[in-house]
Amino acid sequence: MKGILFVLSGPSGTGKGTVCDELIKRGCGVSLSVSMTTRECREGETPGVTYHYVTKDEFKRNIENGEMLEYAQYGENYYGTPRSSVEEKLSEGMDVLLEIEPQGALQVKRKFPEAVLVFLVPPSMSELKRRLITRGREGEDEIDKRIETARWELTQAEKYNVHIVNDTLDECVDRVIEYFDEKRAERKKIEELINEKV
Amino acid sequence: MKGILFVLSGPSGTGKGTVCDELIKRGCGVSLSVSMTTRECREGETPGVTYHYVTKDEFKRNIENGEMLEYAQYGENYYGTPRSSVEEKLSEGMDVLLEIEPQGALQVKRKFPEAVLVFLVPPSMSELKRRLITRGREGEDEIDKRIETARWELTQAEKYNVHIVNDTLDECVDRVIEYFDEKRAERKKIEELINEKV
């Protein structure tokens, strides 16, 4: 039985990374896909674990050869998900988890309509703003820009399979795991029917 | 707020028509889309209610003009869903329900990625076969063909938003309505966030 491709996405500041870390910590039976990037490896990061680090030429060659399931450019650098490693894991029966930006998530859905897209929803826009301010990565102008981007991303949310509100982390992660299990049960039922002799 | 396009589909014999009739009977707040066909109007049918009846030339013109959300040819005749009437209802805030074959459902999803696709699952293949025999519309060869088609359709089920098993009608309809309400709650939350000033 082929694995399921789960994609966790949502506006910047909704807590994708934290939810994803917690999912892995709890051992919910998904293999995290390692992204590819052209940016430099920073201290504390491990090649092949944090990212696959490649040159711009290599990245562009991957795009041209249709090797990227999704990719985006931020500033000078490219970030993306190589198709081959995901498909390899899926064909071995492993469920794979991607944690990516909404634009990337919709690219994946177009190329891979059987992907299961989870949209993480902030409890409110004021809470989203508060989280962006608290994490302190962006200035005020950049935060306003992110809020506007979030509004646009919310208009795309209906293309996802399910919405899960990230109010308190534990409840959100519980719900994500419950949803993963629902999808696995669906898959198992379908597999049984396909194989049932009549 | 725009309405939601719900698509109810599943293999022949799974009970799409019966579930759909029951949904309408219970008044679950969806407007049933009327399909277009080139076949003749039969006794007991009402034009504009059972189907929109058109000539083959008219139907083909609609296809060429991109007016069909989905269509298929069965034997001599065309069947399909006109885009304009669906979009009109959605833009008026009405939720619309389409009851169509799996091939049509996936056509809709490609053209309308925000459509919510419900896959009706038979409890077992032997039960599916029993239902096809009981309704008595097809001969033995045709039933075997439908079972093989069903197996293929099951391989496409992961492209749907949700799977619901149709074992007993009442429980199945309850679950469909519950799911519709979940999607409406998601939509409402998104709408609130988009409109929230910060």
Side-chain angles (χ1 to χ4, degrees), chain A residues 100-142:
Chain A
I100 47 181
E101 302 301 317
Q103 298 229 17
L106 294 179
Q107 285 182 50
V108 173
K109 189 74 180 173
R110 278 192 294 272
K111 288 188 189 159
F112 220 94
E114 61 269 43
V116 174
L117 268 59
V118 177
F119 192 88
L120 276 193
V121 180
S124 66
M125 294 306 268
S126 55
E127 172 61 16
L128 183 68
K129 191 168 183 178
R130 201 194 58 75
R131 287 181 193 174
L132 287 168
I133 293 168
T134 308
R135 76 179 187 188
R137 276 191 229 155
E138 298 93 6
E140 209 173 307
D141 279 4
E142 180 59 27

Side-chain angles (χ1 to χ4, degrees), chain A residues 23-43:
Chain A
L23 285 169
I24 299 302
K25 211 192 288 174
R26 292 212 205 164
C28 71
V30 293
S31 166
L32 197 60
S33 167
V34 179
S35 294
M36 190 174 271
T37 184
T38 59
R39 82 152 165 75
E40 270 181 39
C41 183
R42 293 179 192 152
E43 216 184 300

Side-chain angles (χ1 to χ4, degrees), chain B residues 146-166:
Chain B
R146 298 219 167 197
I147 292 290
E148 283 326 296
T149 304
R151 278 191 218 283
W152 185 84
E153 288 164 346
L154 286 162
T155 68
Q156 304 300 304
E158 46 193 344
K159 293 171 188 164
Y160 287 66
N161 292 65
V162 74
H163 299 181
I164 296 177
V165 177
N166 185 16

Side-chain angles (χ1 to χ4, degrees), chain B residues 112-185:
Chain B
F112 220 93
E114 61 269 43
V116 174
L117 268 60
V118 177
F119 192 88
L120 276 193
V121 181
S124 66
M125 293 306 267
S126 55
E127 173 62 17
L128 184 68
K129 191 168 182 177
R130 200 193 60 74
R131 287 181 192 173
L132 287 168
I133 294 170
T134 308
R135 77 179 185 187
R137 274 192 231 154
E138 298 92 7
E140 210 174 307
D141 279 4
E142 181 58 28
I143 285 175
D144 286 345
K145 247 192 247 168
R146 298 219 167 197
I147 292 290
E148 283 326 296
T149 304
R151 278 191 218 283
W152 185 84
E153 288 164 346
L154 286 162
T155 68
Q156 304 300 304
E158 46 193 344
K159 293 171 188 164
Y160 287 66
N161 292 65
V162 74
H163 299 181
I164 296 177
V165 177
N166 185 16
D167 194 350
T168 63
L169 179 65
D170 265 353
E171 281 176 39
C172 176
V173 172
D174 285 347
R175 178 65 194 115
V176 172
I177 292 177
E178 187 184 58
Y179 184 71
F180 285 3
D181 287 340
E182 284 166 29
K183 295 319 261 186
R184 286 168 174 149

Side-chain angles (χ1 to χ4, degrees), chain A residues 7-24 32 74 97-103 105 118-121 128 131-132 135 137 146 153 160 166 169 172-173 176:
Chain A
V7 180
L8 190 71
S9 194
S12 176
T14 316
K16 291 188 290 293
T18 318
V19 170
C20 201
D21 290 349
E22 189 63 23
L23 285 169
I24 299 302
L32 197 60
Y74 293 102
L97 177 61
L98 303 184
E99 181 234 312
I100 47 181
E101 302 301 317
Q103 298 229 17
V118 177
F119 192 88
L120 276 193
V121 180
L128 183 68
R131 287 181 193 174
L132 287 168
R135 76 179 187 188
R137 276 191 229 155
R146 298 218 168 197
E153 289 164 346
Y160 288 65
N166 185 16
L169 179 65
C172 175
V173 172
V176 173

